[in-house]
């Protein structure tokens, strides 16, 4: 089964929206290793930084980009899409500084 991966690469001059394709097993969900290999094939040598947010950072500190964030996983049957409205509401409600404990 195939999975279309849409992601955003953050560069200092602006973000780029890109996509890739992964051939997955029967369950249709790509593994972390498959995602890292897809990025490596696209010349992005990365490691997972925040697994919950599907975010990756470069292994090379001199890379021209700061991070990669997956915005959508489309298997044809089901689709994971980041809920930006919910993310904005949560970030508004969260305290900006450290808690005074």
């Amino acid at each position: 089964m195939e999975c279309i991966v849409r992601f955003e690469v953050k560069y200092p001059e602006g973000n780029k929206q890109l996509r890739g394709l992964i051939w997955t097993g029967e369950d249709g969900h790509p593994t972390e290793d498959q995602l890292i290999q897809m990025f490596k094939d696209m010349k992005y040598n990365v490691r997972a930084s925040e697994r919950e947010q599907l975010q990756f950072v470069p292994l090379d500190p001199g890379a021209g980009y700061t991070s990669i964030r997956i915005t959508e996983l489309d298997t044809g049957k089901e689709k994971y899409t980041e809920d930006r409205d919910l993310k904005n509401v949560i970030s508004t409600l969260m305290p900006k500084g450290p808690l005074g404990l």
Side-chain angles (χ1 to χ4, degrees):
M1 180 175 274
E2 64 184 41
C3 177
I4 299 170
V5 180
R6 289 183 175 81
F7 58 96
E8 177 179 71
V9 182
K10 295 188 181 203
Y11 288 94
E13 60 274 1
N15 300 341
K16 285 187 181 178
Q17 304 292 327
L18 300 171
R19 65 180 173 219
L21 182 66
I22 294 178
W23 296 101
T24 64
E26 291 300 316
D27 66 351
H29 297 287
T31 65
E32 183 178 303
D33 290 336
Q34 287 175 315
L35 291 167
I36 290 172
Q37 184 60 47
M38 178 196 73
F39 290 133
K40 193 177 285 188
D41 292 344
M42 299 173 82
K43 307 298 185 224
Y44 293 110
N45 195 12
V46 297
R47 66 171 174 79
S49 69
E50 295 185 35
R51 288 177 174 86
E52 297 294 319
Q53 286 82 25
L54 296 173
Q55 190 160 336
F56 299 83
V57 294
L59 290 174
D60 178 17
Y65 59 99
T66 57
S67 67
I68 296 176
R69 185 176 48 87
I70 294 176
T71 57
E72 185 178 307
L73 296 172
D74 184 357
T75 62
K77 293 182 179 179
E78 57 185 48
K79 187 188 285 188
Y80 159 82
T81 305
E82 179 181 67
D83 189 345
R84 292 182 185 186
D85 293 332
L86 178 61
K87 196 172 190 177
N88 287 335
V89 168
I90 290 173
S91 66
T92 303
L93 296 174
M94 295 295 290
K96 300 296 181 212
L99 298 176
L101 297 177

